[in-house]
Amino acid sequence: VQASFVQEVLELTSSFANVVIVQFGTIVYETDAVSRINVQMMDWMVNTLQLDYDYHVTLGGAVYPLYGASELAQYLYHQTTKHVWLGEIGTNGKPVKDPQWIWLWRKRLITTPLPTSSPLEQAFYDSSSKSIKLKFILDTKEIPEWIQGCMQHKSISGNQAVFSRSVVEKLLNATVYPHVQQILALAKYGCCCCLEERTWVAMMDLLGYLKEGKENLAMFQLWPCGGVMKNAVLEEQDGLCFRTEYMLQLTNSSMTGKKQKRRIRGEDMWNALVQAKEKGFLFARKFRSDYPRSMKLLERIQTELHRNTSGSSLVVLGENNR
């Protein structure tokens, strides 16, 4: 991180007494290192600082809440029976049916180039992607049964989610739940996309929160129509087409037929965000500061959708600097 950026962040937050800036770890993109960093932050707050808080919120820099700060705190304060907010997503508008462990099994380990004479490179190393297949790292041809059992689902990434402190404590307990840490270790340097959409919900399954994690919605995000894998930047613009992979329907007056459940036009974006909040979504993404229409939509959320109240309870926020 450049010193000028650090200074800019410190100046931006210096006027807020309730904001603490922590530089914690390095995200290696095209890997799931961010999940490991978020868990390390959880460990730092729970075991090192021993902070007494209610909920841990993991958010990236492209996210904006659909609730005002005190409104969100009040909402979470009254959800005493809920512990996890992820939200199930599917593929092409349908629940996943195929085992999801293949996404972990076929991942590759990012590595530096090996000597050309290395037997390992000759056998397993892919020079074009600078990686080694994960299954060879494990030195086995069989996927462990416990991975087969828990990696059957797909959800929003746990790096954009909410966890109660009791869930965090269980997640960090490697003695009682060793497989949770093993999933994190296997995924840490696994490259390509979408791995965290399988690993976090698998960890919630191991902890006993699968049903809750799938039902409680955390992040409203969309993808461009046409099969593009990257999340779309949210904006109000006639003619744009977005698709959703959630297991619910948003009313869309601009579209009819089977695609109505999965397509949102740019001119209907505001109505989609209002409905998303009504259906329980806590946050939305992506927003970009260099997209004027995206910033205009963000400002509209702040002025028209947030309903702040007094008497909020403490919520601990974990920021992963995306």
Side-chain angles (χ1 to χ4, degrees):
V1 178
Q2 295 182 351
S4 59
F5 175 79
V6 174
Q7 184 61 34
E8 184 178 352
V9 171
L10 293 176
E11 291 176 357
L12 180 66
T13 58
S14 60
S15 59
F16 298 94
N18 62 341
V19 175
V20 177
I21 303 298
V22 178
Q23 188 172 339
F24 201 101
T26 300
I27 297 173
V28 181
Y29 282 102
E30 296 196 358
T31 80
D32 195 29
V34 63
S35 293
R36 190 66 188 180
I37 289 174
N38 268 320
V39 173
Q40 288 175 320
M41 291 175 65
M42 292 176 179
D43 181 66
W44 176 62
M45 287 189 289
V46 170
N47 294 324
T48 303
L49 299 183
Q50 297 185 344
L51 291 181
D52 185 16
Y53 64 86
D54 297 316
Y55 293 96
H56 184 106
V57 184
T58 57
L59 294 181
V63 175
Y64 200 71
L66 297 177
Y67 289 74
S70 59
E71 182 189 11
L72 176 60
Q74 284 289 334
Y75 175 83
L76 292 177
Y77 181 78
H78 291 292
Q79 304 300 317
T80 54
T81 61
K82 294 184 178 181
H83 298 278
V84 179
W85 281 260
L86 285 173
E88 181 182 16
I89 56 176
T91 301
N92 296 324
K94 300 178 181 179
V96 295
K97 295 182 179 180
D98 298 327
Q100 297 299 292
W101 52 260
I102 189 65
W103 287 80
L104 177 64
W105 200 235
R106 72 184 183 188
K107 292 301 163 185
R108 298 170 179 268
L109 183 75
I110 298 293
T111 183
T112 55
L114 300 172
T116 55
S117 59
S118 168
L120 180 61
E121 180 182 30
Q122 295 175 9
F124 309 127
Y125 188 69
D126 184 344
S127 59
S128 61
S129 63
K130 296 182 175 61
S131 61
I132 301 173
K133 291 182 179 180
L134 180 62
K135 61 183 178 181
F136 296 125
I137 299 298
L138 297 178
D139 193 29
T140 178
K141 295 182 179 180
E142 299 295 332
I143 191 77
E145 289 186 7
W146 67 268
I147 292 183
Q148 292 186 44
C150 66
M151 294 198 70
Q152 299 285 335
H153 314 278
K154 184 179 177 183
S155 77
I156 289 299
S157 167
N159 301 309
Q160 316 285 346
V162 181
F163 306 93
S164 71
R165 195 181 194 280
S166 59
V167 170
V168 172
E169 290 174 349
K170 289 183 179 180
L171 188 149
L172 297 174
N173 192 333
T175 301
V176 180
Y177 303 101
H179 289 156
V180 169
Q181 297 299 322
Q182 290 180 42
I183 285 181
L184 286 166
L186 291 174
K188 183 177 180 180
Y189 293 115
C191 70
C192 306
C193 62
C194 309
L195 188 55
E196 67 270 21
E197 293 177 356
R198 281 86 178 174
T199 52
W200 282 93
V201 69
M203 290 187 287
M204 292 306 104
D205 188 8
L206 292 169
L207 298 177
Y209 295 100
L210 175 62
K211 183 175 183 294
E212 189 174 336
K214 292 170 67 173
E215 291 179 351
N216 296 338
L217 305 166
M219 187 66 59
F220 178 76
Q221 61 186 36
L222 300 173
W223 291 259
C225 296
V228 179
M229 295 300 294
K230 292 184 177 180
N231 296 132
V233 176
L234 304 186
E235 54 184 310
E236 293 182 274
Q237 174 67 14
D238 293 357
L240 293 180
C241 180
F242 304 89
R243 80 177 195 273
T244 175
E245 296 292 355
Y246 296 100
M247 302 295 101
L248 53 84
Q249 181 175 356
L250 295 174
T251 303
N252 190 340
S253 59
S254 297
M255 311 246 348
T256 59
K258 294 182 179 179
K259 290 186 176 181
Q260 180 180 6
K261 294 182 180 180
R262 299 187 51 239
R263 296 290 189 268
I264 295 173
R265 292 296 189 189
E267 56 266 35
D268 296 318
M269 181 62 70
W270 177 251
N271 290 333
L273 287 171
V274 172
Q275 291 179 56
K277 182 175 181 179
E278 292 173 349
K279 291 182 179 294
F281 285 95
L282 303 179
F283 312 99
R285 71 188 296 262
K286 288 180 172 181
F287 295 94
R288 285 187 56 163
S289 58
D290 57 346
Y291 278 40
R293 289 193 299 266
S294 182
M295 288 297 95
K296 185 178 180 180
L297 180 60
L298 186 151
E299 292 171 0
R300 188 176 181 185
I301 293 173
Q302 188 176 41
T303 57
E304 300 183 37
L305 202 56
H306 288 181
R307 294 186 293 272
N308 285 315
T309 58
S310 60
S312 62
S313 62
L314 176 64
V315 178
V316 175
L317 298 180
E319 173 63 42
N320 61 35
N321 292 327
R322 279 205 170 185

